[in-house]
Amino acid sequence: MENSIERERIYTRADNKGWKKWGPYLSERSWGTVREDYSVHGNAWGFITHDMARSRAYRWGEDGIGGLSDNKGHVCFALAFWNHKDSIIKERLFGLTGPEGNHGEDVKEMYYYLDSTPTHSYMKMLYKYPQQAFPYTRLVDEARHRNRLQPEFELVDTGIFDANQYFDIFIEYAKNDENDILIKITAHNRYTEAAKLTMLPTLWFRNTWSWGYEQYAYKPILNGIATTQIAVDHKLLGKYKLYCEDADELLFCENETNTERLYGIPNESLFCKDGVNDYIISGDKKYVNPNQIGSKASARYVRTIPAGESVTIRLRFSQDTHKSQPFADYDAIFDQRVQEADDFYDQLQANVTDPELRIIQRQAYAGMLWNKQFYYYNVNEWLKGDPKMPTPFHGRAYQRNSGWRHMYTANILSMPDKWEYPWFAAWDLAFHTLTLARLDPHFAKRQLAVILREYYMHPNGQIPAYEWNFGDVNPPVHAWATWKVYEIDRDMNGKGDINFLERVFHKLLLNFTWWVNRKDVSGNSVFGGGFLGLDNIGVFDRSQPLPMGGHIEQADGTGWMAMYTLNMLRIACEIALTRPTYQDMASKFFEHFLHIAAAMKNLGGQGISLWDEDDQFYYDVLHTPDNASMLLKIRSMVGLIPLFAVEILDDDLLEKLPDFKRRVEWVLTNRPDLASMISRWHEPGKGATHLLSLLRGHRMKMLLKRMFDETEFLSDYGIRALSKYHGEKPYEFNLNGEIFSVKYVPNESETSLFGGNSNWRGPIWFPVNYLLIDSLLKFYNYYGDDFEIEYPTNSGQVMSIKEATVLVAERLVNIFRRDETGKIPAYNGYKKYQDDPYFKDMHLFFEYFHGDNGSGLGANHQTGWTGLVADLIEFLYQHRLQKEPVHAKVL
């Protein structure tokens, strides 16, 4: 099939320039981030609050609604609005800080990402803006009065949308070329009476001139021309113009801090960052520059929109000069880009025939692409301080991330969520790349490469976790993601990118060595690792010293590392097909896997196993200071993670790698103790394949029996993080009369012991579910249809592993599909989302989901790893077991 025009653009160049130079790279929140925190004790949430943000110039980034910027964040554009009721203009999204929310940080707005192409040649989002005064105070007060046992209080819970008294504001972008961008804002009045709305398309420069660096002393400038143009002059980017059709007036101020308002210090600038806000609210023109110059500017549009009708404003941001009619070809260009976006997705969704699933998938893809962000953070510079420090600065008693001075990030990165998580998270990002690879393989590969670069990875080999603590330990999933992205790219383009694979492999070697040196406490190939992303899944905070001393050897840490060795083995084999010397590396990881498998069975030669024969399940082992050991018998995702360690090698591959094959045979012959750790190596499976796995057939069946039990792990909506068994029978650990317990909680955590967002005691998470599905499919590819299991457990239904795997994937997808009653499980309890014609076809991609009813929980725009639903929809159509469309109900 001939590539679409958009697909051709993607392959024009591999970097974030050209057609990708401008994109949705503007954050949705820079206030309350670590980068902007110059407080004494590291109080990021309090140093710059939402209320301060309109008046405070940021140091490292910018934020706005529905915005875009260049790929280094120098020139920014976003939308601001005023409903003529609020005390401030709606210039950025509002939400609760971590300490304010009864379940941590939480954006309190209603917005949806609806569409985007990978080069951002076309983008569309929707912002729902109430016509009544925005309930800032009520949202804060209600959260303050709620405890952790109560749900979050959302904007929709205030009733502000009940009478449809709001504006639906669609924000669209269409590129004419790389530096010529058409902007369309369409505001619909959904109410029964006319309503006035002020729209403020805003252009500004990221402040680089206030921090005292000579190379950035140059201050760029914006100039107004009549009421129709804003001229841009930037030393690095050149000259542009923002053409504003039929604007009422142009307003200018400076992107500089209002020190008088915030700190009682006289301002250095007459027209501060909040000048446009203050003028719009007060009507006093003293706040804006009458000479129409500055570093921040807005075009003002005041429109009265009749009931049920809409108004559209048109702008054009261009490096080209359009002297007479900048909007003459506007509609034709927009129509063309929309058609090209449709053509691109028609190709990408060729297998998906169900219209409902196509909508879900396309909006998931849109969220993935809108969550790209310019991420800028020079840790050494941040710790050391600038020549001219941001006001106020009183030194630091707590230097967060002080061991990461080498980090210097200035890249476009995929964020979990640009409001609640406006910073990269390493293991989240690995999952993002799988979905992104189908959209833009170049971008996906660059994401994996950059996170392993020398200016990210610690010199000791550790991958930085996330902004709040780069030194935290995330699961080692990057080798797995690298192989998956390689496969997707190869399948889409007919050729594998060996150079990418080799480049990443070398960096992963450093990280693998860090794991072996730092997280194998006893040197016995059984690993700790800390919390490993699964915050409160255990009885103790695994990232902190144990209250009784000693240490934990983790089933999940060891399972992750066994998976890591097999991922590295498979990558080494692939590279070795063209670079034979890599057979040595394949041999190294083959033997390392055997040692981990042996250690899981016999810890330190003491006869202690992570596998419990009585329960037929994997558990963590606690080693106490008096040299005693015991299993922590919590039935959690920890015990399922060993399933991830599975790989298949076929005879054809082995014949092409004679040195590796010879080494494998030597080990199996001369180390029978290790050979016994391999599942059925000498028994070829379907298609003459050999299985490497921690699990033999019996143990795998026992794990699957528990995992597919609806009274334990199997929910109607996927696999729970903790067995429902612990709902009635919590696990308890008695330490000197103090009881530590783990109880099944299907929704938000009931404890803040492990941080504000500790939610792994029952909910459904897409990333680990996706890994289970990927692993089970490998088992099926080895065993074939002859290996049958019962699904669900105790149902009497017998089927192949593949059939069960497809049905698990279907349960996950069903979170977003209408059930037999016409309801979407993700929006349980919200009739507005289910039935309202202006809500019901819009999708939010939550951080995780209720273990019993599928309701969306946590961050509600975390398309990042929940965007994997797009891949699962494709999976259902590639592996569906019947020709008719996938059903909403399982067997």
Side-chain angles (χ1 to χ4, degrees):
M1 182 186 296
E2 184 178 343
N3 279 339
S4 66
I5 293 174
E6 176 63 17
R7 180 66 64 185
E8 292 293 337
R9 287 195 195 105
I10 293 167
Y11 287 101
T12 300
R13 58 190 305 164
D15 57 17
N16 291 313
K17 298 178 182 178
W19 275 83
K20 288 186 278 189
K21 176 181 177 181
W22 297 90
Y25 310 141
L26 185 70
S27 179
E28 286 170 355
R29 179 171 64 81
S30 282
W31 61 272
T33 61
V34 168
R35 282 161 289 162
E36 299 297 335
D37 177 19
Y38 287 86
S39 65
V40 176
H41 299 290
N43 179 20
W45 285 117
F47 188 72
I48 302 180
T49 64
H50 176 270
D51 179 65
M52 297 169 67
R54 68 179 181 274
S55 305
R56 168 79 182 225
Y58 296 127
R59 170 65 178 86
W60 296 97
E62 294 292 340
D63 57 22
I65 298 173
L68 82 165
S69 76
D70 65 276
N71 59 7
K72 294 300 178 184
H74 289 295
V75 176
C76 305
F77 174 89
L79 283 303
F81 309 101
W82 187 44
N83 58 11
H84 295 255
K85 302 285 180 60
D86 288 341
S87 59
I88 58 173
I89 63 175
K90 179 61 70 172
E91 198 170 5
R92 59 187 46 79
L93 299 175
F94 173 71
L96 303 184
T97 68
E100 286 176 329
N102 60 322
H103 293 286
E105 62 270 17
D106 187 20
V107 66
K108 298 299 184 185
E109 301 276 7
M110 187 58 60
Y111 58 106
Y112 301 89
Y113 303 122
L114 300 179
D115 211 356
S116 181
T117 57
T119 67
H120 312 295
S121 57
Y122 177 69
M123 297 191 296
K124 183 178 184 179
M125 74 163 286
L126 168 63
Y127 176 65
K128 291 179 177 284
Y129 185 32
Q131 294 175 14
Q132 304 172 50
F134 196 88
Y136 294 105
T137 302
R138 185 181 175 195
L139 288 164
V140 174
D141 289 347
E142 184 66 33
R144 183 181 296 118
H145 294 127
R146 293 193 176 198
N147 60 38
R148 298 192 65 85
L149 300 181
Q150 296 173 288
E152 295 172 339
F153 185 67
E154 305 293 1
L155 180 60
V156 70
D157 294 324
T158 67
I160 205 161
F161 296 114
D162 288 354
N164 286 346
Q165 193 176 359
Y166 67 91
F167 300 105
D168 264 342
I169 306 173
F170 291 91
I171 302 165
E172 296 177 86
Y173 299 94
K175 294 180 182 178
N176 181 43
D177 60 34
E178 296 175 4
N179 295 297
D180 187 6
I181 306 168
L182 282 56
I183 305 163
K184 184 191 296 183
I185 301 99
T186 305
H188 295 260
N189 178 4
R190 300 303 188 193
Y191 195 44
T192 56
E193 298 177 9
K196 186 179 287 188
L197 174 67
T198 291
M199 292 173 278
L200 297 156
T202 302
L203 191 65
W204 73 100
F205 300 117
R206 175 165 58 86
N207 190 322
T208 57
W209 57 89
S210 293
W211 319 124
Y213 293 96
E214 186 175 342
Q215 65 268 38
Y216 296 117
Y218 166 81
K219 182 178 177 181
I221 190 167
L222 300 171
N223 278 292
I225 304 173
T227 60
T228 59
Q229 299 177 36
I230 299 174
V232 178
D233 189 351
H234 193 282
K235 188 175 183 179
L236 297 177
L237 272 76
K239 297 179 184 295
Y240 287 79
K241 282 187 179 179
L242 178 66
Y243 296 92
C244 310
E245 185 180 51
D246 298 328
D248 299 335
E249 61 180 331
L250 303 181
L251 308 171
F252 290 78
C253 60
E254 301 293 344
N255 185 20
E256 296 178 3
T257 300
N258 186 339
T259 56
E260 185 174 332
R261 174 185 177 245
L262 297 181
Y263 313 115
I265 300 171
N267 288 318
E268 294 183 7
S269 173
L270 289 175
F271 311 103
C272 300
K273 179 181 177 180
D274 49 15
V276 173
N277 172 86
D278 292 352
Y279 164 61
I280 293 296
I281 299 301
S282 70
D284 192 336
K285 284 207 168 184
K286 71 179 182 180
Y287 297 108
V288 292
N289 193 329
N291 295 317
Q292 290 200 324
I293 59 173
S295 50
K296 177 181 176 182
S298 297
R300 183 190 189 197
Y301 292 83
V302 182
R303 300 291 185 266
T304 298
I305 310 176
E309 297 188 19
S310 66
V311 298
T312 297
I313 62 174
R314 305 194 302 177
L315 304 101
R316 186 169 192 162
F317 180 73
S318 181
Q319 201 170 38
D320 303 324
T321 299
H322 301 273
K323 289 184 178 180
S324 55
Q325 294 183 325
F327 300 97
D329 55 355
Y330 185 97
D331 292 336
I333 294 169
F334 247 103
D335 291 344
Q336 183 179 348
R337 295 296 175 260
V338 170
Q339 184 60 55
E340 289 168 1
D342 290 341
D343 293 343
F344 172 79
Y345 282 107
D346 283 345
Q347 281 192 3
L348 191 63
Q349 297 180 299
N351 293 327
V352 182
T353 57
D354 187 309
E356 183 183 16
L357 291 181
R358 286 174 69 90
I359 290 172
I360 295 166
Q361 188 182 53
R362 187 158 172 177
Q363 288 186 27
Y365 283 139
M368 295 296 304
L369 293 168
W370 272 91
N371 271 333
K372 292 159 70 172
Q373 179 185 318
F374 172 66
Y375 185 81
Y376 181 39
Y377 191 15
N378 180 336
V379 177
N380 182 55
E381 205 168 80
W382 179 78
L383 286 167
K384 182 177 62 176
D386 300 315
K388 185 178 179 182
M389 290 299 293
T391 302
F393 181 71
H394 305 293
R396 283 196 174 104
Y398 171 56
Q399 292 201 326
R400 192 187 301 275
N401 295 321
S402 58
W404 293 79
R405 288 181 178 271
H406 70 284
M407 279 194 68
Y408 188 141
T409 69
N411 304 96
I412 303 299
L413 297 179
S414 176
M415 299 296 156
D417 174 332
K418 287 198 296 188
W419 195 95
E420 297 203 33
Y421 303 96
W423 25 261
F424 77 90
W427 82 302
D428 298 56
L429 187 145
F431 290 102
H432 300 181
T433 59
L434 272 67
T435 309
L436 289 167
R438 297 192 185 279
L439 295 162
D440 183 352
H442 288 318
F443 183 72
K445 288 185 287 186
R446 284 176 62 85
Q447 292 296 285
L448 288 167
V450 76
I451 203 73
L452 297 170
R453 291 294 300 272
E454 58 276 8
Y455 45 85
Y456 279 72
M457 180 185 282
H458 197 280
N460 65 20
Q462 185 178 10
I463 296 173
Y466 52 89
E467 189 173 279
W468 286 87
N469 185 1
F470 287 131
D472 262 347
V473 184
N474 284 169
V477 293
H478 294 81
W480 170 80
T482 296
W483 177 250
K484 295 294 290 184
V485 167
Y486 172 83
E487 285 189 306
I488 293 168
D489 183 33
R490 181 191 61 194
D491 294 345
M492 291 176 65
N493 299 297
K495 183 180 179 181
D497 188 347
I498 293 294
N499 290 332
F500 156 73
L501 212 54
E502 185 177 30
R503 177 188 182 191
V504 173
F505 182 82
H506 282 279
K507 298 300 179 67
L508 289 170
L509 277 175
L510 299 175
N511 179 245
F512 186 89
T513 303
W514 175 83
W515 271 92
V516 171
N517 291 339
R518 295 298 182 93
K519 296 302 176 181
D520 179 5
V521 174
S522 302
N524 62 4
S525 294
V526 178
F527 293 81
F531 86 124
L532 284 172
L534 314 180
D535 304 69
N536 65 340
I537 205 163
V539 67
F540 304 113
D541 185 345
R542 301 188 302 175
S543 62
Q544 300 295 326
L546 297 176
M548 78 293 290
H551 68 279
I552 292 175
E553 290 180 311
Q554 297 174 216
D556 56 335
T558 308
W560 286 120
M561 285 302 292
M563 169 185 160
Y564 200 168
T565 60
L566 292 180
N567 298 148
M568 294 293 277
L569 164 61
R570 188 63 189 88
I571 293 171
C573 286
E574 188 75 6
I575 301 173
L577 292 174
T578 53
R579 297 164 173 80
T581 54
Y582 278 83
Q583 291 178 84
D584 290 345
M585 297 308 302
S587 299
K588 176 259 187 298
F589 284 107
F590 173 76
E591 294 186 41
H592 205 126
F593 169 74
L594 295 184
H595 286 289
I596 292 175
M600 288 187 74
K601 184 178 180 181
N602 184 9
L603 300 186
Q606 300 175 30
I608 304 168
S609 174
L610 296 178
W611 175 264
D612 182 60
E613 284 294 341
D614 293 334
D615 287 358
Q616 299 286 292
F617 202 70
Y618 282 107
Y619 296 118
D620 288 346
V621 172
L622 171 65
H623 298 277
T624 59
D626 59 1
N627 295 319
S629 300
M630 64 177 294
L631 292 170
L632 298 174
K633 293 193 174 185
I634 304 167
R635 298 180 191 173
S636 74
M637 184 62 65
V638 164
L640 300 179
I641 284 173
L643 283 167
F644 299 165
V646 55
E647 190 52 72
I648 299 170
L649 300 178
D650 59 49
D651 284 343
D652 181 58
L653 177 66
L654 292 171
E655 290 301 322
K656 294 175 182 177
L657 304 173
D659 293 344
F660 172 58
K661 181 182 180 183
R662 193 159 43 246
R663 180 62 183 173
V664 167
E665 290 173 346
W666 187 94
V667 171
L668 296 179
T669 300
N670 292 279
R671 290 295 304 271
D673 56 323
L674 296 181
S676 66
M677 297 299 107
I678 304 179
S679 299
R680 296 172 54 155
W681 178 265
H682 293 294
E683 302 176 43
K686 189 177 67 173
T689 59
H690 301 276
L691 182 70
L692 290 171
S693 168
L694 292 175
L695 303 164
R696 286 177 173 76
H698 170 71
R699 285 192 179 180
M700 188 182 70
K701 280 193 172 183
M702 291 300 98
L703 274 190
L704 295 186
K705 181 178 181 180
R706 198 177 294 286
M707 187 171 79
F708 291 150
D709 189 336
E710 293 180 311
T711 68
E712 291 218 36
F713 285 98
L714 183 62
S715 162
D716 287 342
Y717 306 101
I719 306 299
R720 302 175 174 103
L722 186 74
S723 171
K724 197 172 183 177
Y725 166 85
H726 290 303
E728 295 183 0
K729 297 181 179 179
Y731 175 82
E732 294 185 343
F733 185 93
N734 190 322
L735 178 62
N736 300 324
E738 183 180 1
I739 302 297
F740 294 81
S741 69
V742 174
K743 179 183 178 183
Y744 171 72
V745 181
N747 48 346
E748 293 98 337
S749 173
E750 295 178 354
T751 175
S752 60
L753 179 65
F754 301 83
N757 294 309
S758 301
N759 305 293
W760 283 84
R761 293 189 174 179
I764 295 155
W765 295 78
F766 266 74
V768 286
N769 271 263
Y770 189 95
L771 274 166
L772 285 169
I773 288 167
D774 185 58
S775 301
L776 290 177
L777 199 61
K778 288 182 182 179
F779 281 112
Y780 168 77
N781 289 337
Y782 176 75
Y783 286 113
D785 291 324
D786 294 336
F787 189 99
E788 294 186 318
I789 58 174
E790 186 181 28
Y791 177 92
T793 301
N794 299 321
S795 69
Q797 298 178 104
V798 177
M799 61 186 69
S800 71
I801 298 174
K802 178 179 177 181
E803 289 173 310
T805 302
V806 170
L807 292 174
V808 171
E810 191 175 48
R811 291 187 183 216
L812 289 157
V813 171
N814 284 343
I815 289 173
F816 297 94
R817 299 195 69 189
R818 295 192 180 278
D819 60 21
E820 67 278 4
T821 70
K823 304 301 181 186
I824 298 174
Y827 311 125
N828 281 320
Y830 289 105
K831 182 176 174 59
K832 191 77 171 175
Y833 297 168
Q834 305 279 11
D835 305 327
D836 190 289
Y838 303 123
F839 282 81
K840 67 183 182 68
D841 294 323
M842 311 293 179
H843 291 282
L844 297 172
F845 297 90
F846 294 86
E847 187 177 1
Y848 53 98
F849 299 86
H850 194 289
D852 294 335
N853 63 35
S855 297
L857 300 168
N860 55 21
H861 291 82
Q862 196 164 356
T863 322
W865 59 21
T866 302
L868 288 166
V869 69
D871 260 46
L872 291 178
I873 290 170
E874 179 68 21
F875 172 87
L876 290 180
Y877 278 88
Q878 288 182 359
H879 299 282
R880 66 185 185 275
L881 308 177
Q882 63 280 336
K883 293 183 179 179
E884 64 270 16
V886 180
H887 298 298
K889 293 296 288 182
V890 298
L891 293 174

